[in-house]
Amino acid sequence: MSNTKVLPLLESGAAEPVAPCCPPLTERPFTAEEAETAAQMFKALGDPVRLRLFSAVASHPGGEACVCDISDVGVSQPTVSHHLKKLKDAGLLTSERRGTWVYYRVEPSVLAAMGRLLTIAPAAA
């Protein structure tokens, strides 16, 4: 007899999508607050291990990943936890504890905001 059960995926609790942190780089100069927010995101992703972890979560089937499924990035488990915390602190990941495991998720609005930030507006005709 197995005590394994399938847990449903959680839907985002926000009624509206999260507003992007910043306008596209080509739209206007950043405010000091926008620059700080964007810099924190890029700083968090500037580490190769964090970028691998972020990519592992973002590309995981179902849009979320158990830490047990993504921790094989060539560093110790405590170091993985440290890097995941940095990604959470930068607003790039959210997490939820389920029993003894922690599941991480990249909110679609975060990916959209990052994509919008780096979008180059087409030249006016």
Side-chain angles (χ1 to χ4, degrees):
M1 179 173 160
S2 173
N3 62 358
T4 303
K5 67 178 181 176
V6 176
L7 298 172
L9 289 178
L10 298 177
E11 296 299 323
S12 175
E16 298 178 27
V18 176
C21 76
C22 314
L25 290 171
T26 57
E27 185 176 298
R28 63 171 172 74
F30 284 174
T31 65
E33 184 178 321
E34 290 167 340
E36 183 66 32
T37 300
Q40 287 176 354
M41 289 187 337
F42 286 118
K43 184 176 180 181
L45 292 174
D47 182 281
V49 172
R50 287 186 210 137
L51 188 55
R52 287 185 66 199
L53 288 168
F54 185 75
S55 173
V57 173
S59 65
H60 203 271
E64 69 177 2
C66 174
V67 69
C68 60
D69 293 330
I70 60 169
S71 58
D72 186 22
V73 291
V75 295
S76 68
Q77 192 284 322
T79 303
V80 167
S81 294
H82 165 77
H83 286 300
L84 288 169
K85 181 180 182 325
K86 292 289 187 183
L87 290 167
K88 279 184 61 177
D89 290 347
L92 296 170
L93 294 179
T94 59
S95 67
E96 177 186 9
R97 180 171 291 282
R98 297 182 195 157
T100 59
W101 296 111
V102 177
Y103 287 77
Y104 290 88
R105 165 181 295 202
V106 176
E107 290 295 330
S109 59
V110 170
L111 291 177
M114 292 177 72
R116 183 173 182 262
L117 172 69
L118 297 174
T119 298
I120 296 176

